[in-house]
Amino acid sequence: MKAYIDASLLAILKEKFPSAEYDSEATQPAVYVPAAEIVAVLSFLRDDERFAFARLENLTAVDYKTYFEMVYHLFNWTAGVWITVKVKLDHEQPMVASVTGVFPGAEFEEREVYDLMGVGFTGHPDLRRILLADDFEGHPLRKDYVQIMPPHVRRIEKGGR
Amino acid sequence: MPQTETYTLSMGPQHPSTHGVLQVRLDLDGETILKATPYMGYLHRGIEKLLESRTYVQGVPYTDRLDYVSSMNNNLGYCRAVEELAQIEVPERAEYIRVIVAELNRIASHLVFIGSLAIDLGASTGMLYAFRDREKVLDLFDLVCGARMTFHYIRVGGVSADLPPEFAAKCDEFLKVLPEFMQEYEDILTGNEIFQYRLKGTSRMTKEQALSHNMTGPNIRAVGIPFDIRKVDGYGVYPKLAFDVPVGENGDNWDRYRVRYLEIYESAKLVRQALDGLPEGDFMAKFPKALRPPKGEVYSRTEGTRGELGFYIVSDGGPKPYRVHIRRPSFINLQGLDDMCRGMLIGDSVAAFSAIDPLMGEVDC
């Protein structure tokens, strides 16, 4: 990531959404917003002409064992500027509003996060598993996921045959 | 007008024209497509999870298996992300070699596109010509790294070996014959009436549709938006080299073909400039063998053959990445398939699958 959003613009964002938090010391601070406000923040970032982040380049989630983190990378093509927006989610029941209403191109990526990470999206037009089979149990990208060996594979213990 | 019953036809995953194991369910009214829903995952290997269990350097060969007809571009994307995370400075000679191999691979990949588009439309001769010429590029890669696919040539910090002494002459020879075989496609395919009839005006897409589906690569350039990350971000040594970004006008399948066709010439231009300007020096940076990037995260993207190839890597300071997410362009481009197929006939859906050019290794990851 090359040019990151200006600190003065981040202050404007903070003024508009007082619950948004970021580390003002860091060089490229990610903006943390509450799960309830993600759709409002993203549509503000897209529509306000001072920000004009018209492209959602990447959407994913990370499992930090005690909580999940949704990551949104937005890009303003005219100014060549980036912003990273993050949402912390509960580990027991991760739920967040779908951003497909703001960026329709997020549809498959949200389905992928739902499939592999087990994060639920409210308001998604077609929330189904996308890569794994419909009857698959569990979410493989979670850190506590245990791979079940196929029945024909036998693990050889160390030192023995 | 007589009403017919709507019914569903499943194309794939074992269908000769779906480019690997893509399944598309078509809702049909007679022969007109009402809705096309892609189903994927038949080639899912869990590469993101696999990368978490390997060290950063061991992860490179896994990226070869994403988009397996342009592996060099995947290696480049992953290595650039790791280098940005670990703050490794790549020697200039390595950057130039990377441009040469990545652009040669883009040529090879677009030749596969032209060949498979031709055979999907019934022109099996066109396919034979394109694969014949792709072989010339693969021979060059054989010379460089000993492999014809899944190269693992671009490594973290540079490239695995310097270019062999005879490479420059062989590559020069290839660049000389390139305009000749490109002219052959012009005669066989571009000028062919059936080929034109099948592609012109089919699967049209507006700029707004392409943007809303977040399409990238030749698919967005075909609708007239010059979004090319080599220009937008200007990474590596691309800002020092001169090249144009071909764009289409109508956003139909014909423009998708033409954009890729013209990109082959642009890539050849880049290879020529990089070969001529190749500086002396090291081909590999010096960095500790047990790479432990500092705690942090990075989202780094390059222009892959099929669009924006992004790697999001989170490091916890250990020898293995904590999380790797790959933004695969083919996967996201498939969102546009529905809009491209609606209102078309079943036969045109085959052209649409081919023109969007998804690679299932990358879609399913």
Side-chain angles (χ1 to χ4, degrees):
Chain A
M1 238 181 267
K2 291 170 108 187
Y4 201 72
I5 186 169
D6 212 47
S8 58
L9 281 172
L10 280 178
I12 296 173
L13 184 68
K14 172 85 182 164
E15 212 170 279
K16 174 90 180 162
F17 297 96
S19 50
E21 281 172 14
Y22 60 94
D23 178 7
S24 49
E25 302 286 303
T27 45
Q28 299 195 342
V31 182
Y32 284 89
V33 298
E37 285 183 15
I38 183 65
V39 175
V41 169
L42 289 196
S43 49
F44 174 73
L45 286 175
R46 185 194 63 179
D47 296 334
D48 193 284
E49 54 191 28
R50 288 167 295 180
F51 294 90
F53 286 101
R55 293 185 63 85
L56 176 67
E57 297 291 3
N58 184 43
L59 182 158
T60 188
V62 187
D63 180 6
Y64 285 105
K65 288 175 188 159
T66 49
Y67 62 94
F68 284 103
E69 203 171 80
M70 289 295 302
V71 187
Y72 305 85
H73 288 111
L74 277 76
F75 180 59
N76 175 345
W77 185 12
T78 16
V81 182
W82 289 87
I83 188 172
T84 310
V85 181
K86 291 186 176 181
V87 179
K88 277 186 184 171
L89 300 177
D90 174 44
H91 203 278
E92 292 305 308
Q93 278 198 324
M95 284 297 281
V96 68
S98 165
V99 298
T100 44
V102 191
F103 294 105
E107 187 185 335
F108 277 16
E109 284 169 301
E110 284 190 347
R111 274 178 69 187
E112 192 189 13
V113 170
Y114 166 76
D115 187 0
L116 302 178
M117 201 64 101
V119 175
F121 292 93
T122 49
H124 190 282
D126 185 22
L127 197 62
R128 288 178 291 118
R129 283 193 183 266
I130 190 162
L131 293 177
L132 301 174
D134 289 338
D135 56 354
F136 192 89
E137 281 176 27
H139 305 286
L141 281 185
R142 286 190 177 187
K143 291 287 174 184
D144 55 7
Y145 177 77
V146 185
Q147 166 104 53
I148 304 159
M149 281 291 163
H152 57 276
V153 175
R154 194 167 54 91
R155 213 180 259 287
I156 299 172
E157 297 299 327
K158 264 188 187 158
R161 277 166 185 272
Chain B
M1 212 174 123
Q3 283 292 309
T4 49
E5 198 182 334
T6 309
Y7 67 103
T8 308
L9 177 74
S10 174
M11 283 185 88
Q14 307 298 339
H15 189 278
S17 75
T18 55
H19 288 221
V21 282
L22 173 67
Q23 184 189 6
V24 182
R25 290 202 189 153
L26 301 172
D27 290 348
L28 298 165
D29 175 16
E31 215 193 327
T32 312
I33 299 167
L34 302 174
K35 190 174 183 329
T37 324
Y39 286 76
M40 48 274 218
Y42 294 95
L43 203 60
H44 179 60
R45 296 146 294 174
I47 287 182
E48 289 180 4
K49 188 76 176 176
L50 283 166
L51 289 175
E52 286 175 14
S53 60
R54 302 289 188 279
T55 66
Y56 288 91
V57 176
Q58 285 173 338
V60 182
Y62 285 90
T63 61
D64 279 319
R65 275 83 184 163
L66 284 170
D67 178 350
Y68 42 79
V69 303
S70 65
S71 302
M72 291 286 190
N73 287 292
N74 303 332
N75 290 167
L76 179 62
Y78 178 73
C79 290
R80 282 191 61 82
V82 175
E83 283 152 11
E84 200 178 325
L85 193 63
Q87 288 151 4
I88 298 169
E89 195 75 38
V90 181
E92 208 184 2
R93 184 175 174 84
E95 289 278 20
Y96 273 85
I97 296 176
R98 284 175 173 195
V99 170
I100 296 173
V101 291
E103 295 305 324
L104 280 175
N105 211 169
R106 196 185 306 275
I107 294 175
S109 176
H110 283 342
L111 289 177
V112 173
F113 163 79
I114 293 177
S116 47
L117 178 70
I119 199 163
D120 284 348
L121 300 180
S124 46
T125 320
M127 180 274 228
L128 294 173
Y129 278 77
F131 274 70
R132 175 200 68 186
D133 298 325
R134 171 175 176 251
E135 206 68 7
K136 298 186 176 103
V137 186
L138 297 188
D139 286 346
L140 286 175
F141 288 146
D142 195 357
L143 201 64
V144 167
C145 62
R148 291 157 47 79
M149 285 180 92
T150 55
F151 312 107
H152 191 203
Y153 176 62
I154 295 176
R155 304 272 171 96
V156 176
V159 292
S160 70
D162 207 347
L163 292 176
E166 65 269 35
F167 177 80
K170 289 266 171 71
C171 190
D172 207 49
E173 207 176 292
F174 170 71
L175 291 177
K176 282 213 178 81
V177 297
L178 183 128
E180 291 171 21
F181 66 68
M182 292 295 280
Q183 186 55 45
E184 274 184 343
Y185 306 149
E186 204 79 339
D187 298 338
I188 296 169
L189 292 171
T190 314
N192 185 304
E193 197 184 334
I194 304 168
F195 196 69
Q196 292 193 8
Y197 186 71
R198 289 291 301 274
L199 294 180
K200 279 189 179 167
T202 54
S203 300
R204 261 179 110 133
M205 207 171 210
T206 62
K207 284 185 183 181
E208 289 71 30
Q209 279 174 321
L211 281 172
S212 81
H213 292 306
N214 217 348
M215 294 174 105
T216 46
N219 282 307
I220 199 162
R221 293 195 283 274
V223 300
I225 299 169
F227 188 75
D228 187 322
I229 301 184
R230 292 173 292 175
K231 286 277 187 205
V232 174
D233 283 5
Y235 59 89
V237 290
Y238 281 107
K240 293 183 194 166
L241 309 171
F243 67 103
D244 297 321
V245 180
V247 289
E249 286 168 7
N250 304 320
D252 54 3
N253 284 337
W254 180 254
D255 280 348
R256 293 186 185 95
Y257 162 68
R258 286 311 285 174
V259 162
R260 289 188 178 91
Y261 181 87
L262 295 171
E263 269 180 23
I264 293 181
Y265 279 117
E266 297 304 323
S267 291
K269 244 161 72 181
L270 282 165
V271 175
R272 162 65 40 221
Q273 291 172 56
L275 257 187
D276 292 344
L278 192 64
E280 292 297 322
D282 287 340
F283 56 83
M284 187 53 131
K286 288 187 174 54
F287 62 93
K289 278 279 176 289
L291 190 62
R292 284 168 184 270
K295 219 173 159 181
E297 57 176 60
V298 69
Y299 177 70
S300 166
R301 59 177 185 176
T302 54
E303 179 73 23
T305 313
R306 284 162 181 78
E308 174 181 345
L309 179 68
F311 283 87
Y312 174 66
I313 305 180
V314 181
S315 164
D316 58 355
K320 297 171 182 173
Y322 185 76
R323 167 95 169 94
V324 182
H325 172 70
I326 310 164
R327 185 221 190 267
R328 293 102 61 200
S330 303
F331 176 68
I332 292 167
N333 284 348
L334 271 183
Q335 292 180 132
L337 188 68
D338 187 24
D339 274 352
M340 281 168 69
C341 287
R342 273 183 199 216
M344 299 283 140
L345 303 178
I346 298 176
D348 293 330
S349 74
V350 173
F353 301 157
S354 205
I356 210 168
D357 197 20
L359 219 121
M360 295 321 283
E362 192 174 62
V363 172
D364 294 343
C365 186

